[in-house]
Structures are given as C-alpha cells and as structure tokens.
Amino acid sequence: MVRAGLTTERVVRAGAELADEAGFDNVTPSELARRFDVKVASLYSHVKNAHDLRTKIALLALDELADRAAAALAGRAGRDALVAFADVYRDYAREHPGRYAATRFRLDAETAAASAGPRHAEMMRAILRGYAVSGPDETHAVRLLGSVFHGYVDLEAHGGFDHSSPSSQESWTRILTVLDTVLRDWPAT
C-alpha cells in the first residue's frame, strides 16, 4: 500500500535536498524515511533500494542541469556559449553540491542513454560547431571541456583554491579564455 502523500517524485526531490545538505554519499533510504517520519518499507513503493534512489536523484540532477544549460546557451555562440555553459555547471555545483555530485554517479548503459547525459554532450558539440571542431575531434574536445569543468568545480568545492591568490574567479575566467583560444586553434586532423 502506498502511503498517502508519498510519491516517487516527492521521495526523489527529498533525496536531492538531503544530498545537497548532507552529501550525496549520505543519502540512504533510512535517512530519507526519518525525514518523512515513515518506515523504510514505505519508501520501497517508490524506490527499489538505495542504488535506485541514487539513480533517480542522478537523473533529476542531470535533467535540471541540462535545462539550465539549454536556457543559458539560447542565442549564443563561440566564446559566449562556452562561458555560459561552463558557468552553468559551476553555479549549479555551488547551489546544489549534492545534486552535482549525483551527476557523476555511474549509470548503467541503458539508463545513461535514456538520461539527459546525451543532451549535455549534444550541447557541448553545438558549442564546438562555433569553433569548427568536427568529426572525431569533437569527442576529444568534449572530453577536454568536461574534464576541465568538472575537475575545476570539484577542486573548488573541496577547498583546493581557498588559500591562494589570485582568486578562484580570476583563475576560472583565465581558464575559459585559454579554452576559447585552444578551441579556436584546434589542429585539423
């Protein structure tokens, strides 16, 4: 029997909020059940287990991030698109650290293919068209951008730049300028 007021969407959103507050690794069905003041078994009408809960939070976060990125990219090209896209990732990670961590959760191939993950890659590829990066080089460039964005955001989130100068923002701006230059000068294969 499904408890009144408890829906899969509500359970997943509460899990995402918990992830932002306590960290994605600390999201468990038992902790979530405490928040709803229900028995853990009541959640199993909505999620199969902890892995399923984390998967659903990851899918929610990927959707949210893709929607924000799509809105930020509308009408932009070249450096403006690159900066807008990068800033969306960084801002989302700052606003929703647990959800951002969830976007890195390993999904099985079928779930990943049906997720917003491919939308993220397509948006990066769209940015690259403004730089005339094409063919197999697109994959290399997408991996470069993803590595830089996620690596920087992760280091920043864990305090990697807290005790040094110049400011993290200054470095971020400079790195995006360098990426823009690298993409403009991408070697033809």
Side-chain angles (χ1 to χ4, degrees):
M1 177 169 121
V2 177
R3 184 173 176 94
L6 220 50
T7 65
T8 301
E9 181 180 352
R10 197 163 165 231
V11 167
V12 172
R13 288 210 173 273
E17 290 169 13
L18 176 60
D20 287 339
E21 294 166 18
F24 183 63
D25 291 339
N26 296 318
V27 175
T28 64
S30 57
E31 184 57 38
L32 205 49
R34 278 192 280 283
R35 288 194 168 217
F36 283 114
D37 196 28
V38 298
K39 296 200 183 299
V40 175
S42 298
L43 296 181
Y44 292 135
S45 297
H46 307 286
V47 294
K48 296 174 195 166
N49 51 39
H51 187 271
D52 186 46
L53 173 61
R54 288 190 178 125
T55 297
K56 285 176 171 39
I57 294 168
L59 294 173
L60 170 70
L62 286 167
D63 281 339
E64 289 176 344
L65 191 51
D67 290 346
R68 284 186 182 196
L73 286 175
R76 296 175 192 244
R79 185 181 196 293
D80 288 342
L82 175 70
V83 170
F85 189 83
D87 284 346
V88 164
Y89 272 72
R90 188 172 179 224
D91 292 345
Y92 188 80
R94 289 172 160 179
E95 292 170 35
H96 300 290
R99 292 178 206 207
Y100 185 78
T103 67
R104 313 307 331 133
F105 187 66
R106 183 181 290 265
L107 302 173
D108 64 71
E110 185 178 332
T111 303
S115 77
R119 280 180 64 203
H120 293 264
E122 283 307 311
M123 285 185 273
M124 281 195 199
R125 290 177 191 283
I127 292 167
L128 295 174
R129 284 193 288 278
Y131 291 98
V133 177
S134 61
D137 283 340
E138 277 186 358
T139 301
H140 300 305
V142 166
R143 289 175 179 168
L144 170 68
L145 295 177
S147 297
V148 172
F149 300 160
H150 296 299
Y152 194 91
V153 165
D154 187 57
L155 287 168
E156 185 177 49
H158 289 91
F161 310 127
D162 286 354
H163 306 291
S164 62
S165 292
S167 72
S168 179
Q169 180 59 45
E170 190 176 337
S171 293
W172 178 250
T173 300
R174 182 85 171 112
I175 286 167
L176 295 179
T177 298
V178 169
L179 280 176
D180 175 62
T181 301
V182 166
L183 293 172
R184 285 183 195 284
D185 296 334
W186 195 269
T189 54

